[in-house]
Amino acid sequence: MTLKLGIIGAGRIGRVHADTLTARVAGAEVSIIADIHAPFAQAAAGAFGIPAHTADPAALFDLPELDAIVICSSTDTHTRFIKAAARAGKHIFCEKPIAHDLAEIDAALAAVESAGVQLQIGFNRRFDANHIRLKQAVDSGEVGAPHLLHIISRDPAPPPIDYIAVSGGLMMDMMIHDFDMCRFLLGEVVEVFAMGACMVDPAIGAAGDIDTAKVMLRFENGVIGSIENSRQAVYGYDQRVEVFGSHGAASSGNRHANAVTLSDGRSVRRDLPMNFFMDRYMDSYAAEMAAFVLAIAKDQPVPVNGNDGRAPVVMAKAGMRSLRENRPVRLDEIAGALS
Amino acid sequence: MTLKLGIIGAGRIGRVHADTLTARVAGAEVSIIADIHAPFAQAAAGAFGIPAHTADPAALFDLPELDAIVICSSTDTHTRFIKAAARAGKHIFCEKPIAHDLAEIDAALAAVESAGVQLQIGFNRRFDANHIRLKQAVDSGEVGAPHLLHIISRDPAPPPIDYIAVSGGLMMDMMIHDFDMCRFLLGEVVEVFAMGACMVDPAIGAAGDIDTAKVMLRFENGVIGSIENSRQAVYGYDQRVEVFGSHGAASSGNRHANAVTLSDGRSVRRDLPMNFFMDRYMDSYAAEMAAFVLAIAKDQPVPVNGNDGRAPVVMAKAGMRSLRENRPVRLDEIAGALS
Amino acid sequence: MTLKLGIIGAGRIGRVHADTLTARVAGAEVSIIADIHAPFAQAAAGAFGIPAHTADPAALFDLPELDAIVICSSTDTHTRFIKAAARAGKHIFCEKPIAHDLAEIDAALAAVESAGVQLQIGFNRRFDANHIRLKQAVDSGEVGAPHLLHIISRDPAPPPIDYIAVSGGLMMDMMIHDFDMCRFLLGEVVEVFAMGACMVDPAIGAAGDIDTAKVMLRFENGVIGSIENSRQAVYGYDQRVEVFGSHGAASSGNRHANAVTLSDGRSVRRDLPMNFFMDRYMDSYAAEMAAFVLAIAKDQPVPVNGNDGRAPVVMAKAGMRSLRENRPVRLDEIAGALS
Amino acid sequence: MTLKLGIIGAGRIGRVHADTLTARVAGAEVSIIADIHAPFAQAAAGAFGIPAHTADPAALFDLPELDAIVICSSTDTHTRFIKAAARAGKHIFCEKPIAHDLAEIDAALAAVESAGVQLQIGFNRRFDANHIRLKQAVDSGEVGAPHLLHIISRDPAPPPIDYIAVSGGLMMDMMIHDFDMCRFLLGEVVEVFAMGACMVDPAIGAAGDIDTAKVMLRFENGVIGSIENSRQAVYGYDQRVEVFGSHGAASSGNRHANAVTLSDGRSVRRDLPMNFFMDRYMDSYAAEMAAFVLAIAKDQPVPVNGNDGRAPVVMAKAGMRSLRENRPVRLDEIAGALS
């Protein structure tokens, strides 16, 4: 049986999913792609051999042959499309974050629940070989009882200022992946403390955001964690995690396109790490979609559900409050956090 | 325009090419797959969505819609299929080695020449990111004038003894990739000296072959090289190259499925490198096929031609003679070497 | 001219200094070693060829031939000996921390000041090749404007519980080196936030201390830093630092006694890093003493002065208050911090 | 009991031994240093606190208080001093090579034998942490039955042409260390094949020597080895060894003065490896002298004896003959090889 999917959004991430779903995921077929910018939809359809395209995303909910909708449109449209897809009885894959507002998220999750469809959230890093190996090191006891966690996550360059303004801020847009990684590796967090600053580009500060941040986290199980983010690492995408515990440590390094070392009169060097998430995490995008398609096909729970999409939003909100108030903030202080 | 291909051979390497051609190479379409074992052909057709299959390889030459033939059958059939494909005016991709016999190779290359079709030989390692980077280090002058070369090439486990018997021997079957790598990186070799032994499995010796070897090579440009091969590295596929020159050195390391380091009370360790060529070189298979398809589509010379297929056979023959006679052997001693 | 030194304290660190001063530091001569446990003094004198020993530390201040006193006795005796040495006009090298009490420290520093002698504090890590290289990367602009700092510092095993009880606690005893490293690399810190726990050994908690901690730090220049400490890394002494900035990052790894990699059927591994500070930092002890001896000989300022000894004590106090009160604490909240 | 030594030769290597013997080796005392250039002897005596010096090396043999003589003079004087020291009943440490001529070596070894003194040869690399770890990996069975060996040994820059002319050639002067390493790790070699060239500096060729070479070796136990040498690696001293066997591989990397990685917009890099043997192998010089002193003190066999000094000379001669005659040369072809 082949799962038939429709994609909403033919921007960067929409094209990533179109690419992997058409070329690398077994058991899936993309029937249509929608984008409110018609040329985007048309271009993606052409590039990935998708038979139909439309400028009207809502049209997809009426197509009876579609089993699932992949939502890759801008964040402010996510819950609207989730609710519409749920009403239409379609399974849903939605990019992160679900929304910036918890009440809005809760309404969407309720719609999913009552429709009895499945919803997977796009935390692709859970499907990356490095992070999977780290989780295995934790789960198998290789590191023993976990004591400390440190996550480094740095982008090669900041997004356009226009995007910054609607992104929800660094913690909601970028660190949200790291908040999810915390939960993926070590479970629930109860309290966070944040420091942040605008160091990369004053225009980011002028847009009301920060570009550099460090957050400390206390986990339910006692682990003490930290996350550091920068919008700009000149040497490329920097994604490293270390879990330290009673039996040892597991640390991931960056991935490089080649394993060649060059030695000359000045240094012993490697080429830069993979430059951005499109290179670094491409395999994880294929794997998350394969997992989604398989879960739907086998009628099993999806690996990253609505609650997994909601929790990091709470963490981001707690982080932002900590930043504003310069104090540790418990997650249960965030309105509706325990819903 | 889409290139239409037929594949002959649905064994291990045939399936690799079927996989990449159907899923990862743009501008290509596999119309049919043939294998004298009908169930193999059928299974591959099913697995990779190939519309037709046959137990009669010769049938492919009569299909006017086919632009090119991909020959993945056993080595002893290569030249027969090359000649037939050439006569039928099809472009050809053929796995290595072309044949064990130089006269036979020459006849096949002559047929290709007179038919005016293109022939690419399957030295996939030329399309691997590590080896490309090494070549770039040489060509760009990063290592200066090359002085020394060392190639390590070790398989995780020997092939079945049945295969050993028909393989042409370690130098023709396994080291041939390294002979090609020598030429790819540094040009023509003029003389070789070999030492070899059976250390891994006495059954390999009983089959008349060696499983461990080291060869020293003198290049036309004065570089002194060496290659070492083992049929069994218990830690997995070991593929490393170092070029040393007047301005420095370029060394490739193995590739690993993850970049995680684990530290415990006994060691600081990584998981084993990718286990075999199907993991390690999968991207290179896709890249070599993309290059073939592109060259045909653009009517440009293929990147690894018939002569590139012939030269390593001469090197293997020189290596085997050196082994037998325990003396350095010049390539021009091999009958027909200079044709 | 040879500087004549007397050492007070023939315990672990006293023996380290006796060793380097007698064997590896030019221009120095250890005339006498004192320890209130006479057999310790005698043993060290024998081991390192020191001509005299005594069970009465105070006796050293009366020896006119001594140019300098090296104080390696227990922390609670430091300021007493500093003041006595200053009164006697001797230059002073004193181990860290000067004392746990700021008023006591200030009195000692005042005595040093009015005597016109020099006082160097034993922050040996400033003399380690890795940390020096990191500082050079910062000072030379290799990392550009610094944005983030992360320090990992883990001991292979906790000290005896008896010692824990008088140590002043993890932050005063162990993290104090990391507080100093912060200042060495990036200047003054203005605010800290700490999380800590007892995870390694409940006996440490019973003694009123923590064994695992993470501290976030805001620097005067805007850098956001973090330090993590554990009293027990089963794989050995773990000492790594990363400075990230606008032009790149500089990261130090652990040091290993050999550079050999072993590959077998299970992993690719190295032997554990150097096991403890006696191995890892031995060269730095020699270098700090050489720097002390040179500064005295040339009548130049010592590289780590009394204020450098005092500031990390303030940081430790702020960290401990943050831990107690679960809030960020400014260094200027610590009584007398700005003296 | 303290061993009293006299050193002959106050050049580079003489000063290395003077340094380690006076500062880092317990149980040893250097009583006198001799050099036919009086100012050299005087300077070394001053630098290392040696109480006496002389321009007449022969004077040392008459000093009854001397237990041992350390011969660091030029190679052509070695056997003369060995014989004189033996006659005087002194134990002997002599730098490599003993001599270029086997008959001369044999006469010296006979003198040592009949005098009943001990002779240790200066193959310091046997005392290096990397090489010791490799040997341990072989001896403990970590790599299983050894199959292949590869040794890379490159100097940062060629010696002066004047020295080249009297050095005995690259194989006698430089590769001799690698020949010894072969024996240290894997036992006796029976046959060698060499290729060599002058690539670094034509003046070296004009002096009748090569500066770049690769040698293949067949061991008595069947192992196939190779050594590559270059007189000039622009990135510094390059000393790496890999042993491959039935259970895995052990590979040594270069040693670096620091473990810091720098990432910027162009590369991820380290500083160059330690630049030359004075840095890279300094610890091994101290360790070899400590082993010599200990063996004499305990009346135990020295770890590197006269035969260990002779065998690599035979290997170098076989290598040079192979180079001249372009054929594999058995060690038993070398006159007197089996004495």
Side-chain angles (χ1 to χ4, degrees), chain D residues 40-51:
Chain D
F40 282 26
Q42 183 172 14
F48 304 109
I50 300 171

mmCIF file of all heavy atoms in Angstrom, chain D residues 40-51:
data_model
loop_
_atom_site.group_PDB
_atom_site.id
_atom_site.type_symbol
_atom_site.label_atom_id
_atom_site.label_comp_id
_atom_site.label_asym_id
_atom_site.label_seq_id
_atom_site.Cartn_x
_atom_site.Cartn_y
_atom_site.Cartn_z
ATOM 1 N N PHE D 40 83.202 23.736 23.109
ATOM 2 C CA PHE D 40 81.962 22.973 23.185
ATOM 3 C C PHE D 40 81.879 22.265 24.536
ATOM 4 O O PHE D 40 80.836 22.276 25.199
ATOM 5 C CB PHE D 40 81.899 21.915 22.072
ATOM 6 C CG PHE D 40 81.544 22.461 20.727
ATOM 7 C CD1 PHE D 40 81.815 23.780 20.376
ATOM 8 C CD2 PHE D 40 80.923 21.638 19.782
ATOM 9 C CE1 PHE D 40 81.484 24.263 19.115
ATOM 10 C CE2 PHE D 40 80.592 22.118 18.533
ATOM 11 C CZ PHE D 40 80.877 23.432 18.192
ATOM 12 N N ALA D 41 82.998 21.632 24.923
ATOM 13 C CA ALA D 41 83.010 20.898 26.186
ATOM 14 C C ALA D 41 82.756 21.855 27.351
ATOM 15 O O ALA D 41 81.972 21.575 28.259
ATOM 16 C CB ALA D 41 84.353 20.187 26.356
ATOM 17 N N GLN D 42 83.413 22.986 27.287
ATOM 18 C CA GLN D 42 83.282 23.969 28.359
ATOM 19 C C GLN D 42 81.848 24.506 28.456
ATOM 20 O O GLN D 42 81.267 24.610 29.542
ATOM 21 C CB GLN D 42 84.247 25.125 28.094
ATOM 22 C CG GLN D 42 84.226 26.175 29.208
ATOM 23 C CD GLN D 42 85.332 27.214 29.013
ATOM 24 O OE1 GLN D 42 85.932 27.291 27.932
ATOM 25 N NE2 GLN D 42 85.610 27.988 30.045
ATOM 26 N N ALA D 43 81.271 24.804 27.288
ATOM 27 C CA ALA D 43 79.911 25.345 27.275
ATOM 28 C C ALA D 43 78.921 24.340 27.850
ATOM 29 O O ALA D 43 78.037 24.689 28.641
ATOM 30 C CB ALA D 43 79.512 25.725 25.842
ATOM 31 N N ALA D 44 79.058 23.089 27.461
ATOM 32 C CA ALA D 44 78.132 22.073 27.955
ATOM 33 C C ALA D 44 78.317 21.872 29.449
ATOM 34 O O ALA D 44 77.335 21.726 30.195
ATOM 35 C CB ALA D 44 78.342 20.755 27.201
ATOM 36 N N ALA D 45 79.547 21.872 29.901
ATOM 37 C CA ALA D 45 79.796 21.711 31.333
ATOM 38 C C ALA D 45 79.100 22.826 32.106
ATOM 39 O O ALA D 45 78.446 22.593 33.128
ATOM 40 C CB ALA D 45 81.300 21.717 31.604
ATOM 41 N N GLY D 46 79.224 24.050 31.577
ATOM 42 C CA GLY D 46 78.571 25.178 32.240
ATOM 43 C C GLY D 46 77.055 25.061 32.222
ATOM 44 O O GLY D 46 76.381 25.255 33.235
ATOM 45 N N ALA D 47 76.535 24.693 31.068
ATOM 46 C CA ALA D 47 75.077 24.666 30.912
ATOM 47 C C ALA D 47 74.429 23.615 31.796
ATOM 48 O O ALA D 47 73.320 23.813 32.292
ATOM 49 C CB ALA D 47 74.727 24.406 29.444
ATOM 50 N N PHE D 48 75.118 22.511 31.989
ATOM 51 C CA PHE D 48 74.458 21.416 32.701
ATOM 52 C C PHE D 48 75.086 21.123 34.063
ATOM 53 O O PHE D 48 74.800 20.093 34.683
ATOM 54 C CB PHE D 48 74.461 20.158 31.815
ATOM 55 C CG PHE D 48 73.833 20.406 30.483
ATOM 56 C CD1 PHE D 48 74.590 20.453 29.319
ATOM 57 C CD2 PHE D 48 72.465 20.660 30.393
ATOM 58 C CE1 PHE D 48 74.009 20.731 28.092
ATOM 59 C CE2 PHE D 48 71.876 20.942 29.163
ATOM 60 C CZ PHE D 48 72.647 20.974 28.015
ATOM 61 N N GLY D 49 75.954 22.018 34.505
ATOM 62 C CA GLY D 49 76.524 21.860 35.837
ATOM 63 C C GLY D 49 77.415 20.627 35.976
ATOM 64 O O GLY D 49 77.426 19.974 37.009
ATOM 65 N N ILE D 50 78.178 20.343 34.923
ATOM 66 C CA ILE D 50 79.104 19.209 34.967
ATOM 67 C C ILE D 50 80.437 19.712 35.513
ATOM 68 O O ILE D 50 80.978 20.693 34.993
ATOM 69 C CB ILE D 50 79.269 18.599 33.555
ATOM 70 C CG1 ILE D 50 77.897 18.116 33.043
ATOM 71 C CG2 ILE D 50 80.297 17.468 33.564
ATOM 72 C CD1 ILE D 50 77.884 17.704 31.588
ATOM 73 N N PRO D 51 80.980 19.057 36.550
ATOM 74 C CA PRO D 51 82.137 19.644 37.250
ATOM 75 C C PRO D 51 83.429 19.717 36.433
ATOM 76 O O PRO D 51 84.282 20.547 36.725
ATOM 77 C CB PRO D 51 82.311 18.737 38.477
ATOM 78 C CG PRO D 51 81.510 17.503 38.199
ATOM 79 C CD PRO D 51 80.452 17.880 37.234
#
